[in-house]
Amino acid sequence: MKFYYHPQSPACQPVWMVLKELGIEYEAIELNLWSGNVDKDELFSVNPYGKVPALKDGNICLGESRAVSIYLCSKYEAADKDKPLYPKDVDSIARINMELFADLDSIVAVQKYLNIGAVFSGKAKGPCNEHFPEVKKHIDHMEKVLSNQSYLAGDHLTILDFCKLNLLGMLDMAGYTEWVEYPKIVEWRDRMSKLSYYEECHAAGFKANRQIYTAGNAKYDELEKNRDTKN
Ligand SMILES: N[C@@H](CCC(=O)N[C@@H](CS)C(=O)NCC(=O)O)C(=O)O
């Protein structure tokens, strides 16, 4: 099995954690798509959208983090597993799928808030606060769900927990610090941080992303200073 990824890519992280949690053997192929010197032909042959994550497992070629995560669980988790990462019964599948699809909306919302392209290039500083209300809907919902259960889809770890870490990682990147309003989310993240692969598959990548975001803010300040001295 070949896993095409980059450690700083949030989308790759849920798949990476599924591979680790299920103890699946794989060949990791790290692609830095932002370096501009990656030959994308092989990637496009695996993922028609040319993005990471991508997975080639025998004849199966897949992209899309949620689809890949579901595939891995459906194929490699025992049908009678007590606490599966992805459920086996129709009702639980329907419920978790709703949250996995809604998770895409949360990522779009937090991307707008982060304003990554403009901040990374020094054209803007900090997040776009006008986009925060849409993000807030998602974290409010998480807090509500976690007030009744330890994990996002029930009483045990699932792929939804892996996916949702990204929303929080992106908020950290933006410098969001109001977690005191979300004690259940804080407890949940603390629980997640105990996973043996949390640092490698999640925290390290976001630490690097946060540094790039902060550097973008500093670049903006520098450009502003130059503009001021010219005027
Ligand atoms: N919805 C996709 C998003 C995948 C995605 O946007 N991947 C980014 C890295 S986080 C990528 O490959 N970007 C490079 C490109 O678009 O060329 C998923 O969840 O897998």
Side-chain angles (χ1 to χ4, degrees):
M1 182 185 305
K2 287 185 177 178
F3 172 47
Y4 299 80
Y5 83 117
H6 190 275
Q8 279 166 256
S9 153
C12 293
Q13 297 186 357
V15 176
W16 200 4
M17 289 188 264
V18 171
L19 289 165
K20 293 275 186 186
E21 180 66 28
L22 296 185
I24 297 170
E25 280 193 22
Y26 62 95
E27 179 190 345
I29 300 169
E30 185 173 323
L31 292 181
N32 189 347
L33 299 172
W34 303 273
S35 69
N37 54 12
V38 168
D39 177 2
K40 277 192 157 190
D41 288 352
E42 189 180 351
L43 180 61
F44 268 100
S45 74
V46 178
N47 176 357
Y49 299 102
K51 296 187 179 206
V52 289
L55 189 91
K56 182 164 169 44
D57 182 24
N59 291 330
I60 298 282
C61 290
L62 285 175
E64 284 303 313
S65 54
R66 295 161 193 81
V68 178
S69 300
I70 292 172
Y71 163 77
L72 287 170
C73 295
S74 306
K75 180 137 186 189
Y76 294 102
E77 276 197 309
D80 59 353
K81 191 172 171 190
D82 189 23
K83 295 182 172 178
L85 282 183
Y86 187 70
K88 312 289 176 201
D89 68 284
V90 174
D91 291 4
S92 306
I93 288 174
R95 286 192 203 101
I96 198 171
N97 282 353
M98 180 186 78
E99 294 297 346
L100 289 169
F101 290 125
D103 181 50
L104 263 176
D105 287 349
S106 81
I107 296 300
V108 171
V110 78
Q111 279 173 340
K112 286 185 187 160
Y113 172 64
L114 262 176
N115 199 14
I116 279 182
V119 173
F120 276 17
S121 61
K123 291 194 183 113
K125 186 172 180 184
C128 284
N129 289 321
E130 66 264 34
H131 289 297
F132 186 70
E134 197 52 40
V135 178
K136 189 173 183 316
K137 278 188 205 164
H138 290 275
I139 43 178
D140 284 352
H141 175 60
M142 271 180 87
E143 180 71 11
K144 196 169 155 203
V145 167
L146 289 167
S147 62
N148 297 316
Q149 56 198 45
S150 302
Y151 293 92
L152 288 162
D155 65 354
H156 69 272
L157 185 70
T158 66
I159 58 174
L160 184 60
D161 297 293
F162 294 152
C163 290
K164 278 290 173 203
L165 282 173
N166 285 337
L167 178 58
L168 306 198
M170 286 166 137
L171 283 166
D172 288 343
M173 274 176 76
Y176 179 81
T177 53
E178 306 306 312
W179 294 115
V180 68
E181 289 176 36
Y182 296 100
K184 294 292 171 190
I185 294 182
V186 171
E187 277 173 28
W188 168 80
R189 181 141 66 159
D190 191 46
R191 212 169 289 130
M192 294 298 287
S193 74
K194 308 260 175 2
L195 294 168
S196 59
Y197 44 82
Y198 178 90
E199 185 61 34
E200 181 189 6
C201 301
H202 173 69
F206 268 109
K207 193 171 166 205
N209 290 340
R210 171 96 184 106
Q211 280 164 358
I212 302 172
Y213 196 83
T214 308
N217 283 334
K219 194 151 118 193
Y220 178 86
D221 285 342
E222 196 57 34
L223 291 170
E224 276 291 283
K225 219 167 33 189
N226 290 342
R227 271 192 284 273
D228 286 350
T229 43
K230 272 190 200 147
N231 291 335

